[in-house]
Amino acid sequence: MTKLDDLIDKMRLAGRQTAQSWLGPAALEADAEDRRVGAMTACLSSAILAPMLAVPVLLTAFSWPQAIAGALVAAAMPIAAAGVLSSTSSLRITGRISLAAAAAALATLAVLTGGLASPFLPLLALLPLEAAIYSSRPSGLALGAAAACLALALVAVAGQTGLAGAAPASGFLATGLSLGLYALVRGLAFALARPAAAKPAPVASVETVLVQDLAILDMFPGLVTRHNSRGDVTHVAGADQTDFIIRIGGFSGKGYVNHIHVADRIGFLDAIDCLRRGERRQQVELRFDCVGQESQFVHVAVSLQAEQDADGNFLGFIAQTRDISAEIADRLHADEIVEVAETANAAKTCFLAAVSHELRTPLNAILGFSDILAREYFGTFNDERQREYVALIHQSGEHLLSLVNTMLDMSKIDSGRYEVFVEPFQIGEVVDSCDAMLRLQATNRGVTLTRRLARGAGEVIADKGAMQQILINLVGNSIKFTEAGGVINVDVAVNDERLTLVVSDTGIGIPADKLARIGEPFVQAQDGLGRHYEGTGLGLSLVKGLVALHGGTFAIASTEGEGTVVTIDLPADGSGANRTPVETTAVAVAFPPVLPRPAIRNAQYRNEDHVETARSA
């Protein structure tokens, strides 16, 4: 098939669908419906072709305004015939009215152009031909001949009474052009018409097969309804049809659509429209109004299967309707449980934030006064134990303050109030700073700390303080869980605009059954009272939150007794910063109130206690 043939088929299908939209539903057999749709297609096509062909013909005898007026009349006649066919659904009435209108129009044209001497008079001979082709019966030929004779008699009477106009000078041209255009249009119609032999046998059509097998639909669960192309129900079946009818009502005709809740009807009509455009199946969830029952609605799931003929034309669809009220109730119950859990989590986060804020005030006082005592500003200690105890008080206060700061950061991340401020910096500076902070601690533990920067790992765009906090937490964890003689490696690389940080160690590792939960708040590899390592389990959780705020990924691999490898991957150009959505169902009220952040802040604002945070996490 050539592209031209394919285009013609698409135009034919579009014309047929347009004709079906003009026609109302009618209980007709397939052949009668095809003839009705074909007649409507011919009317609508003639409304387009008639004025295009009338203008050049009329210009041989009339001026431009008169030719345009005649073309508009030629377009109005097939539109009027389409209206008659749509309202009556009768091919016989439409055909006879069209024949009479055509005879009257040709007679009027002949009278205006010379009466019996008119160049358009031979066109009356086409009336019997068209009537015979249209009806395919001898009676049609007889009616066409009678209409032509009557029109000829009216033309003769008009000529005798002096009503006929003057014949145009270009009479031969008008006659030849009229007959030539008619032959062209009629030949095109025959060429586009599908041969009768190509039509499938009626027994093989989808429509016929489904009509014969409608009884099997009663075996399907739920309610099964068959709809025509307009969406009206023509057959009701299904194993649960009685239950549906008792609870909802009848479904015949427009009953199915009328029972759908008004807010869901658009979705149902959209699904039908998709089937009409060529899709084979659709799935939609609806609510049926349930008057007089305990529940106001019946929730259903509807599966729609299109019916098409051999040419792909939409004939209707079959809908299987299942009651899913119990599933909807379970879904709503699950949503309520999730909402309660999320509300409790938000309340916990709000509580931790409030308590942390309240703890910082006395902690600052403890740290400040213990530092003053340790420096002996108001007198010396008489006993060395006093100096030792003040140092322990100050050390414990710093440890608790670092824990409070970590909890505050976690609460901000959970509530969506933590923002990262990206800036360009050398990633090597952050690695060097982390190494300077933690090398003494690693040396005291007997652990070797190494760092390696790949070629090209230079300037990146990220939150420098957050990146430093990530590295300090990861390296601090490795130092804490690596025995003497172990090795910790920090590897940094920038490839394809991605920054990769890898912290690996030869520590105790993480059991496989606990690896999936590592990174959750307050979760440690060794839980319970018998654990051997201090910390709160917030370090990796904070790292995951900061990485997510940069639009990056966090991955951890570990083997118990061999070591752990943590890999951080994030955009090196800062493009992913602050893009991670944080879902929350309850609005957390900050206490004390949080003031707006300044656009520019000190890069060391959140870094002052990173070392102690790493030790406590």
Side-chain angles (χ1 to χ4, degrees), residues 192-500:
L192 294 180
R194 292 186 179 273
K199 292 184 178 180
V203 176
S205 68
V206 178
E207 182 83 7
T208 306
V209 172
L210 287 175
V211 167
Q212 295 174 352
D213 295 342
L214 283 178
I216 200 174
L217 297 179
D218 287 326
M219 302 176 61
F220 287 87
L223 173 70
V224 181
T225 51
R226 189 171 183 229
H227 303 248
N228 60 19
S229 59
R230 309 282 294 185
D232 299 333
V233 176
T234 59
H235 184 80
V236 181
D240 301 323
Q241 60 173 307
T242 303
D243 180 61
F244 273 93
I245 293 174
I246 292 175
R247 289 197 294 167
I248 301 171
F251 292 95
S252 298
K254 297 187 179 298
Y256 192 96
V257 176
N258 291 337
H259 287 310
I260 298 176
H261 184 58
V262 64
D264 297 341
R265 292 181 186 178
I266 295 178
F268 180 69
L269 296 178
D270 284 343
I272 297 177
D273 189 56
C274 291
L275 298 180
R276 189 175 284 112
R277 292 199 302 266
E279 296 188 20
R280 300 303 302 270
R281 296 178 181 86
Q282 282 291 306
Q283 183 82 19
V284 63
E285 290 189 3
L286 306 172
R287 290 171 295 172
F288 280 133
D289 291 325
C290 192
V291 181
Q293 301 290 331
E294 296 180 359
S295 177
Q296 183 180 2
F297 305 114
V298 175
H299 295 268
V300 297
V302 183
S303 301
L304 303 127
Q305 171 69 46
E307 293 186 69
Q308 299 176 345
D309 61 14
D311 296 331
N313 299 316
F314 179 69
L315 301 177
F317 60 94
I318 291 180
Q320 183 182 18
T321 306
R322 297 182 299 103
D323 187 353
I324 59 170
S325 298
E327 299 175 17
I328 294 296
D330 292 341
R331 190 186 305 171
L332 293 176
H333 181 63
D335 291 341
E336 290 177 359
I337 294 176
V338 172
E339 183 178 359
V340 170
E342 291 179 347
T343 302
N345 184 63
K348 177 207 70 176
T349 302
C350 182
F351 171 76
L352 289 178
V355 170
S356 299
H357 276 290
E358 291 300 316
L359 287 176
R360 293 186 70 172
T361 301
L363 277 176
N364 287 328
I366 293 173
L367 290 173
F369 289 126
S370 62
D371 185 63
I372 292 175
L373 292 175
R375 296 177 184 272
E376 300 181 3
Y377 288 148
F378 301 106
T380 60
F381 294 114
N382 297 324
D383 193 336
E384 187 64 27
R385 288 177 298 178
Q386 293 176 323
R387 182 178 290 104
E388 179 183 359
Y389 294 160
V390 169
L392 289 176
I393 291 173
H394 187 78
Q395 181 180 356
S396 299
E398 287 183 337
H399 177 79
L400 185 56
L401 182 61
S402 67
L403 174 60
V404 168
N405 289 332
T406 302
M407 293 175 63
L408 279 174
D409 287 339
M410 284 301 306
S411 66
K412 291 177 183 178
I413 293 176
D414 288 341
S415 62
R417 294 187 295 111
Y418 193 110
E419 294 183 51
V420 295
F421 296 89
V422 297
E423 57 182 338
F425 61 91
Q426 295 292 327
I427 187 62
E429 296 178 359
V430 174
V431 177
D432 293 341
S433 175
C434 174
D435 181 82
M437 290 181 184
L438 299 178
R439 178 163 294 278
L440 179 60
Q441 181 182 350
T443 301
N444 293 336
R445 292 272 300 179
V447 176
T448 302
L449 178 60
T450 64
R451 62 186 191 276
R452 295 176 293 190
L453 271 71
R455 186 182 301 273
E459 185 177 88
V460 298
I461 300 178
D463 189 314
K464 186 175 181 180
M467 295 303 301
Q468 188 168 0
Q469 192 169 3
I470 289 172
L471 269 178
I472 289 175
N473 275 278
L474 294 178
V475 176
N477 266 358
S478 295
I479 293 175
K480 181 168 58 177
F481 295 107
T482 302
E483 302 295 341
V487 178
I488 300 172
N489 297 318
V490 179
D491 297 281
V492 181
V494 177
N495 296 309
D496 299 328
E497 300 297 327
R498 304 290 297 184
L499 170 62
T500 304

Side-chain angles (χ1 to χ4, degrees), residues 51-73 177:
M52 298 172 59
L53 301 177
V55 169
V57 172
L58 294 178
L59 283 176
T60 61
F62 300 98
S63 61
W64 266 104
Q66 294 171 332
I68 295 298
L72 293 178
V73 173
L177 184 60

Side-chain angles (χ1 to χ4, degrees), residues 120-168:
F120 300 107
L121 195 62
L123 296 180
L124 291 175
L126 300 179
L127 293 178
L129 175 62
E130 284 297 315
I133 294 174
Y134 179 77
S135 63
S136 301
R137 294 179 180 178
S139 59
L141 178 62
L143 286 175
C149 292
L150 181 59
L152 184 60
L154 292 176
V155 172
V157 171
Q160 291 296 328
T161 57
L163 297 177

